[in-house]
Amino acid sequence: MYDFHHLPHVKVQTTSKKALWTTLLLTAFFTIVEVIGGILSNSLALLSDSAHMASDVIALGLSMIALYLASRPPNKKFTFGYLRFEIIASFLNGLALVVIAVGIFVEGIRRFIHPESIQFSFMLTIATIGFIVNLVLTIVLSRSMKEEENLNVKSALWHFIGDLLSSIGVIISAILIYFTGLYVFDPLISVVIGTIIFVGGAKIVRESYFILMDAVPDEFDTERIRADILSVEGVEDVHELHIWSISTDHYSLTAHVLIHERIQPFCVILAINEMLKERYNLSHVTVQVEHPSIHQHGEYGKKFLGEKNKMHMNGEDVAHVE
């Protein structure tokens, strides 16, 4: 039994699971309906919407897998558990949105050059049903997001926001075609839909990319945190400071600190941990206390000791202690 953690490294999100199961079943059913409707009506706007819906089924499947994996405890191989899969699923979902948008652009341009006729009534009927379904699913996922913050669910929500906008676009397109007789509105609305989908997908890709690259989360300022650690009594230097996110709302921090030799190292660790918890709500913190005369730091340690000796020769006390 692997049980060496003071934090569980798991997420149990009951609300998100129920919401995703509901949306998955409804989406799978309506995707089939919309694909058939798009083919029979020969509407690019409707087909682009059905393609997006098909991607939603895959996206929701990935999101469901991510939620179930996130609830599994860590082991000797995956010491952080399976939380990171949530971000991998988000990245893939966002990438799928971008690819779909590009596909819509390409087909839209083709239909601008070679317009095709559509069946107005069939297109409008399917689009109206799609609007109702997507509105319900968007509301379900939005309420889930209010209770449980999750980039994975957020990426799925963006799929359905795109679907909702697509349905609105198809309805507008059908009405404009009916009153003007200009079939160019079909690819034009599709390009607008594609642009919105592209922006949403790019945003999800960007957010998940930064987490996968272990970038410092936007909530934290490394220079400010470093200054706060330096303000702790006995701390003379902070280096190897790393702050990253394993998943949404699951942050970690590691740091090496050079301390004054007259200070108890456990007191320094305790003070730093309490400060980080109180000011930044950071619970998963690892602090390594060191001294350059004992621990090898290469040129960095030599420079630090040189500066410290100069200050002592000048009668200055570099420690934060009397």
Side-chain angles (χ1 to χ4, degrees), residues 249-299:
D249 296 330
H250 195 99
Y251 307 114
S252 296
L253 179 147
T254 62
H256 293 201
V257 295
L258 301 180
I259 66 170
H260 193 275
E261 53 268 27
R262 296 202 304 268
I263 285 288
Q264 285 287 341
F266 290 118
C267 294
V268 174
I269 294 174
L270 178 62
I272 293 174
N273 275 276
E274 288 182 345
M275 180 273 295
L276 292 173
K277 176 64 177 177
E278 180 181 341
R279 296 184 187 178
Y280 301 100
N281 198 30
L282 284 166
S283 299
H284 196 260
V285 175
T286 303
V287 178
Q288 179 171 313
V289 293
E290 303 171 335
H291 194 276
S293 62
I294 301 174
H295 297 85
Q296 179 58 254
H297 285 84
E299 291 300 319

Side-chain angles (χ1 to χ4, degrees), residues 91-212:
F91 182 84
L92 293 175
N93 286 341
L95 197 60
L97 287 168
V98 172
V99 171
I100 289 168
V102 172
I104 293 172
F105 293 151
V106 172
E107 182 61 18
I109 292 171
R110 189 188 72 80
R111 290 213 180 186
F112 270 123
I113 300 172
H114 304 289
E116 297 184 15
S117 62
I118 61 171
Q119 293 186 20
F120 164 77
S121 58
F122 203 76
M123 172 184 175
L124 184 60
T125 301
I126 298 296
T128 302
I129 297 173
F131 171 77
I132 296 171
V133 172
N134 288 318
L135 180 61
V136 171
L137 297 181
T138 300
I139 292 173
V140 169
L141 285 179
S142 297
R143 288 180 176 177
S144 170
M145 279 291 296
K146 289 180 180 179
E147 294 187 30
E148 299 171 344
E149 179 67 25
N150 189 321
L151 183 59
N152 177 37
V153 177
K154 183 179 179 181
S155 67
L157 175 60
W158 256 105
H159 275 268
F160 285 100
I161 290 174
D163 285 337
L164 183 62
L165 293 172
S166 295
S167 297
I168 294 172
V170 173
I171 293 172
I172 294 173
S173 174
I175 294 173
L176 289 173
I177 291 170
Y178 178 78
F179 284 105
T180 66
L182 299 175
Y183 292 107
V184 71
F185 283 113
D186 185 50
L188 179 62
I189 294 295
S190 297
V191 171
V192 173
I193 293 169
T195 302
I196 296 171
I197 293 173
F198 183 89
V199 171
K203 183 178 180 181
I204 294 296
V205 168
R206 180 181 180 276
E207 289 184 38
S208 53
Y209 167 77
F210 280 125
I211 295 178
L212 290 172

Side-chain angles (χ1 to χ4, degrees), residues 13-34:
Q13 301 186 97
T14 306
T15 303
S16 296
K17 285 181 181 178
K18 290 179 179 178
L20 286 176
W21 270 119
T22 302
T23 53
L24 178 60
L25 294 174
L26 287 173
T27 303
F29 171 75
F30 188 71
T31 297
I32 298 172
V33 174
E34 199 164 40

